[in-house]
Amino acid sequence: MIVVGLALFLIIIEPDHGTVFFIGILIFVLWFAAGGRILHLVQALPIFLVALLFALWLKPHLFDRIWAWIYPEDYPTLAYQLKQSISTIAHGGVAGVGVGNGLGQLGFTPEPHTDFIFSIMGEELGFFRCSIVLGMYLSLILLGYLVALRCVNPFGTLLAIGCTTAIGFQTALNLAVVTGLTPTTGISLPFISYGGSSLVACMSMVGLLINIAKESFALDERHPVRRSLKKQRHAYSVGLY
């Protein structure tokens, strides 16, 4: 926790509060996956709460962002981006207005190419095609956790959980921000938002998942019991066909 706290401290003094929250959640997921329990945090919880209150006291604009999310009519300037995002998505309707025909990309929605790219997709692609995109994200996340369950190497399991959680939580947080389910924060949408470093990081995590899955498959081929079960499943599937 001390090592993680030092890393998060360097990020928060930039300042980048959204990334600190994202990495903190990811660390806790990995910690619980490795065998951590809530009772282990009882002694450290007061320290976390004091640090959180101190950070909010130093950065009062964070409170304004939360109030703007709860009462957008009282904060027209802070809530402007969120209002435009929701209006852009609503304009797309079920079928969308067509790729390149949306108004959001012309400046109607601020930052349409980065954190709020999904609002542009909602307008131009519509509900049905955006549902396909979300289904692809969900498939990737489920397959990532399946890779983690099949891996027999503890380090590989935690690595797969970390990569999958990073992509899944980042996607969920970005979509929640764009649709107004959470206060606005600067978290990009994996694989789609503009930014080369984000794309490289996401593709690297997918590469690690593929490597872990490949090693698990090779282990299945070498293990006699698993190989026998695999042959039985294959024969059963062929028989059904």
Side-chain angles (χ1 to χ4, degrees):
M1 288 299 176
I2 294 176
V3 175
V4 173
L6 291 176
L8 295 182
F9 175 75
L10 295 177
I11 300 175
I12 201 171
I13 62 177
E14 291 185 14
D16 190 348
H17 305 93
T19 302
V20 171
F21 174 74
F22 168 72
I23 295 179
I25 294 296
L26 178 60
I27 292 298
F28 275 114
V29 170
L30 284 173
W31 185 70
F32 281 114
R37 294 183 296 175
I38 297 179
L39 293 177
H40 297 157
L41 293 178
V42 172
Q43 296 180 353
L45 186 60
I47 300 177
F48 289 145
L49 293 178
V50 171
L52 177 62
L53 294 176
F54 183 70
L56 292 175
W57 179 72
L58 290 179
K59 305 290 183 178
H61 69 276
L62 295 178
F63 270 124
D64 294 336
R65 185 176 297 183
I66 296 175
W67 291 124
W69 170 64
I70 300 175
Y71 304 105
E73 64 279 359
D74 297 335
Y75 297 84
T77 301
L78 292 177
Y80 176 78
Q81 190 177 29
L82 178 59
K83 287 183 178 180
Q84 299 300 97
S85 173
I86 296 176
S87 299
T88 302
I89 296 175
H91 184 235
V94 176
V97 299
V99 177
N101 298 326
L103 300 177
Q105 61 172 331
L106 303 177
F108 183 79
T109 302
E111 303 297 332
H113 58 293
T114 55
D115 301 340
F116 281 77
I117 185 65
F118 189 77
S119 63
I120 309 302
M121 295 173 59
E123 180 185 26
E124 299 186 357
L125 300 181
F127 173 78
F128 285 139
R129 281 177 282 187
C130 282
S131 298
I132 296 175
V133 176
L134 297 181
M136 295 172 65
Y137 275 116
L138 181 60
S139 300
L140 176 61
I141 295 168
L142 293 178
L143 289 173
Y145 285 124
L146 179 61
V147 169
L149 289 174
R150 286 174 54 86
C151 183
V152 296
N153 180 10
F155 175 76
T157 299
L158 292 177
L159 183 60
I161 292 175
C163 292
T164 305
T165 303
I167 296 175
F169 183 67
Q170 185 176 350
T171 302
L173 186 58
N174 177 271
L175 297 177
V177 168
V178 171
T179 55
L181 296 178
T182 61
T184 303
T185 183
I187 297 295
S188 60
L189 184 63
F191 306 108
I192 297 180
S193 290
Y194 179 84
S197 58
S198 175
L199 181 61
V200 169
C202 292
M203 294 299 290
S204 300
M205 287 187 286
V206 172
L208 290 172
L209 287 173
I210 293 175
N211 185 55
I212 297 171
K214 180 181 177 182
E215 290 185 356
S216 299
F217 179 79
L219 182 62
D220 287 346
E221 291 296 323
R222 293 193 299 266
H223 198 285
V225 176
R226 294 185 178 183
R227 186 168 62 247
S228 175
L229 292 175
K230 184 177 179 181
K231 290 181 179 179
Q232 293 178 11
R233 290 196 301 266
H234 177 69
Y236 179 71
S237 61
V238 172
L240 288 177
Y241 180 75

